[in-house]
Amino acid sequence: MTAVLDRARSLPGWARSALIAAVLVAVLSVTVTLTGQIQLTSGGTASAAVRLGLPILLAGLGGLWAERAGIINIGLEGMMVLGTWGAAWAGYQWGPWAAMLGGLVFGALGGLLHAVATVTFNVNHIVSGVAITLLGTGLTKYLATLVFTPVSQNPRQSPRLEGFTEFSIPGVSEGLAALEAQQRVFVSDLAGLLSGLVTGLTPILVIGVGLVPVSYLVLWRTAFGLRLRSAGESPVAAESLGVNVVLHKYVAVTISGALAGLGGAALVLNPGQLGYLENQVGGRGYIGLAAMIFGNWRPAGLLVGSALFGYVDGLQLRAGGEAVHALLYGATLVAVVVAVLWAIRRMWTAAAVALVAGLLVYAVYWSVDTVPSEFASYAPQLVTLIVLAAASQRLRPPARLGEPYRRGEGR
């Protein structure tokens, strides 16, 4: 067993992420069988999870670009807020493609401001990020009042926008739906979850998911990406080799803001929303940052983390407290699996902690029949805290993340 675990750790990042996803699907399948909560793996839940996870994924990708260059970007929330207003304004004027562009541009402006503060003036990264979030929130409130009040009579929201036409993959979508309807253990559960990936798609969803492999290829398979990552690992050494560290930091943080702004556009163009609404970001920028950390600053892990948070959010919106209650049973199974794996690796303290945590979760599951809606609505934030606590032992951020840098200091 130890040899198997060693081989698993030697797998590339995408393979490990796929393995984790397979284990989670198996746990969900067992949970559905034992609790009868078929919403846990239904196609509708999966579709909602994809749509709700997309803004988190894009915010996390934005954080990945900035932090790989050594800049902490806690201002992702504010850049997403700017993106929501930019997308709503442009989308109201010229349609959904313009909404995407508007979100990108306004988010990029927030990223550029963060770059000026942190790279040029060496402002503390956390302070700058918080300031941009406050600025973005206040600025969008003012702009919404100025622009949307005459056309919607409500300064807190825009008129309903034109959205993208949804589409599904012919043949595949119908086949998965048929398999899901057969209610076979694991097979139907997997089919239900996969059907959410091929049904009710929109261009912004396809582009957003496609940005994951694009980010990996650019950052890890090009000379530009190597120089950008060297700015976060050892900027002095990079400069000594002729790399324009300041330029690469500026580019990285501006792209970071653009991706976060695109995440804001994804919220505005969500078929269930189709418009700007004050406070609609709702902390997703911070959850995106948590997904990036969970993914250990790698695109594949970030994708798994975003899917996890989007899934919990979609589940509580579609099925409410009863489904979240059943998810506690699944969390117990995950804790037991983790405890066994750590015990095999002779990490006795970690195994004991995981086992005790699993028993506590199971005690909660046994003692109540449903999770109150007030608590269920905060399930994504709670999962964020639990996942970060569990992943904290294996994290490896860029070596010079958050450290100030001045041009020429290595000479």
Side-chain angles (χ1 to χ4, degrees):
M1 181 61 73
T2 303
V4 172
L5 291 176
D6 290 338
R7 284 196 295 272
R9 288 196 295 272
S10 66
L11 293 174
W14 65 267
R16 287 197 299 270
S17 298
L19 182 61
I20 292 172
V23 171
L24 292 177
V25 171
V27 168
L28 285 175
S29 179
V30 172
T31 304
V32 169
T33 301
L34 296 178
T35 64
Q37 283 291 332
I38 60 174
Q39 285 291 344
L40 290 175
T41 56
S42 70
T45 298
S47 182
V50 169
R51 292 177 179 178
L52 292 170
L54 178 62
I56 296 171
L57 173 65
L58 291 168
L61 280 176
L64 175 72
W65 274 82
E67 300 207 356
R68 276 295 175 180
I71 305 297
I72 298 173
N73 193 359
I74 203 171
L76 290 168
E77 180 85 0
M79 297 169 197
M80 285 189 75
V81 172
L82 290 170
T84 58
W85 188 88
W89 173 74
Y92 176 70
Q93 304 289 335
W94 301 292
W97 288 103
M100 285 180 58
L101 181 60
L104 277 168
V105 170
F106 274 78
L109 290 174
L112 181 61
L113 180 61
H114 188 47
V116 170
T118 56
V119 180
T120 300
F121 295 103
N122 282 314
V123 174
N124 180 277
H125 299 187
I126 304 298
V127 172
S128 175
V130 171
I132 287 173
T133 298
L134 294 175
L135 175 65
T137 303
L139 182 61
T140 52
K141 284 184 178 181
Y142 169 74
L143 291 175
T145 302
L146 185 67
V147 175
F148 294 142
T149 300
V151 293
S152 71
Q153 308 303 318
N154 185 349
R156 300 187 61 187
Q157 69 181 64
S158 70
R160 186 171 177 83
L161 305 180
E162 176 190 354
F164 286 113
T165 300
E166 298 180 42
F167 63 94
S168 301
I169 299 179
V172 178
S173 177
E174 293 83 354
L176 290 173
L179 278 176
E180 181 186 1
Q182 294 177 12
Q183 293 300 306
R184 296 181 180 178
V185 177
F186 188 79
V187 174
S188 294
D189 298 317
L190 180 60
L193 292 172
L194 290 177
S195 67
L197 305 179
V198 297
T199 305
L201 305 179
T202 60
I204 191 171
L205 176 59
V206 175
I207 291 171
V209 175
L211 285 171
V212 175
V214 168
S215 294
Y216 170 76
L217 291 173
V218 172
L219 290 175
W220 273 271
R221 290 294 183 265
T222 66
F224 166 77
L226 176 62
R227 296 187 187 105
L228 187 147
R229 288 185 293 115
S230 69
E233 296 290 346
S234 181
V236 173
E239 187 182 48
S240 69
L241 295 174
V243 176
N244 189 333
V245 173
V246 170
L247 175 62
H248 282 78
K249 286 179 179 286
Y250 260 88
V251 170
V253 182
T254 304
I255 291 175
S256 172
L259 289 169
L262 186 60
L267 282 172
V268 169
L269 293 173
N270 188 321
Q273 178 71 48
L274 287 179
Y276 166 86
L277 181 65
E278 188 177 308
N279 297 324
Q280 72 188 122
V281 174
R284 287 179 175 85
Y286 300 119
I287 297 178
L289 197 63
M292 178 207 67
I293 296 172
F294 167 78
N296 210 5
W297 290 266
R298 304 282 295 195
L302 163 62
L303 180 62
V304 173
S306 301
L308 174 63
F309 300 135
Y311 171 78
V312 176
D313 201 5
L315 182 66
Q316 64 90 14
L317 285 175
R318 276 187 58 86
E322 290 186 2
V324 175
H325 176 253
L327 200 60
L328 294 176
Y329 191 93
T332 302
L333 296 178
V334 171
V336 171
V337 171
V338 170
V340 170
L341 291 176
W342 276 340
I344 292 172
R345 296 169 60 184
R346 301 179 183 238
M347 300 171 63
W348 306 114
T349 302
V353 171
L355 186 59
V356 170
L359 292 174
L360 290 175
V361 172
Y362 185 74
V364 174
Y365 169 80
W366 185 262
S367 61
V368 298
D369 294 327
T370 185
V371 175
S373 59
E374 296 83 3
F375 179 82
S377 63
Y378 286 98
Q381 287 80 358
L382 181 61
V383 168
T384 301
L385 295 175
I386 294 173
V387 166
L388 286 182
S392 62
Q393 300 300 317
R394 62 175 183 83
L395 299 180
R396 195 277 183 192
R400 296 293 179 266
L401 179 62
E403 295 185 5
Y405 173 79
R406 292 177 175 83
R407 190 195 305 268
E409 67 178 20
R411 298 173 184 172

